[in-house]
Amino acid sequence: MRGIEALREGCDIVTDTQMAKAGINKTVLGKLGGQVRCFMSDPDVAEEAERRGVTRAVVSMERAAALEKPCIFAVGNAPTALISLYELIRAGKLHPALVIGVPVGFVNVVESKEQIMTVGSPYIVARGRKGGSNVAAAICNAMLYQISR
């Protein structure tokens, strides 16, 4: 699995919520050379999103795409984050090690998950409307614990 290999090589995990970030085992990830990142609460992200008339999730994913380090994207809340990832990947601006697509809800949730599965990047998706930040964190931790045993 490409995600496991990327974790072993010290990739970072980018989340779309502080909740998912809080739930990921940073000790194990840190021992592998990675860290968890979430740009959603950054004041400059909020300002740029408001100025451009887009969601903070869109700006956050664009920020993450500019990172020089390989990343796993763990999306548990914002379907617009998945849509943004889809667009960045299609444009050749992002080559994620893995996309975990488990946003929960009703608006664009199913569509964003189905869309990310067509772009050619490795993915883990919970089809349908179920998911959440806790599910995204649990998937990340399952991979980390598989490595650390």
Side-chain angles (χ1 to χ4, degrees):
M1 173 181 269
R2 192 167 163 196
I4 297 278
E5 294 165 6
L7 286 170
R8 282 192 178 115
E9 294 170 7
C11 79
D12 286 349
I13 297 174
V14 176
T15 71
D16 67 328
T17 63
Q18 294 296 331
M19 182 176 164
K21 179 181 178 183
I24 296 170
N25 189 320
K26 288 165 259 331
T27 302
V28 174
L29 182 60
K31 287 178 182 176
L32 298 167
Q35 64 179 329
V36 183
R37 299 172 178 262
C38 180
F39 301 104
M40 292 290 282
S41 299
D42 294 358
D44 59 330
V45 168
E47 290 169 13
E48 183 177 341
E50 185 175 341
R51 188 181 75 250
R52 290 174 47 197
V54 297
T55 66
R56 288 181 296 145
V58 169
V59 177
S60 293
M61 294 304 111
E62 291 170 351
R63 294 275 165 95
L67 296 172
E68 294 183 14
K69 198 171 191 184
C71 293
I72 290 173
F73 290 82
V75 177
N77 185 62
T80 54
L82 272 186
I83 293 166
S84 180
L85 290 174
Y86 170 81
E87 291 169 354
L88 289 164
I89 294 166
R90 283 200 58 206
K93 296 179 181 177
L94 179 63
H95 306 283
L98 176 68
V99 176
I100 299 168
V102 293
V104 63
F106 296 99
V107 179
N108 288 327
V109 169
V110 173
E111 297 83 355
S112 67
K113 292 175 181 181
E114 295 295 323
Q115 193 177 47
I116 204 70
M117 293 189 299
T118 68
V119 78
S121 290
Y123 64 86
I124 297 172
V125 168
R127 285 189 135 154
R129 301 193 181 288
K130 295 183 180 182
S133 298
N134 56 336
V135 176
I139 292 168
C140 293
N141 287 335
M143 292 189 302
L144 289 167
Y145 297 155
Q146 183 177 357
I147 293 169
S148 67
R149 356 180 210 156

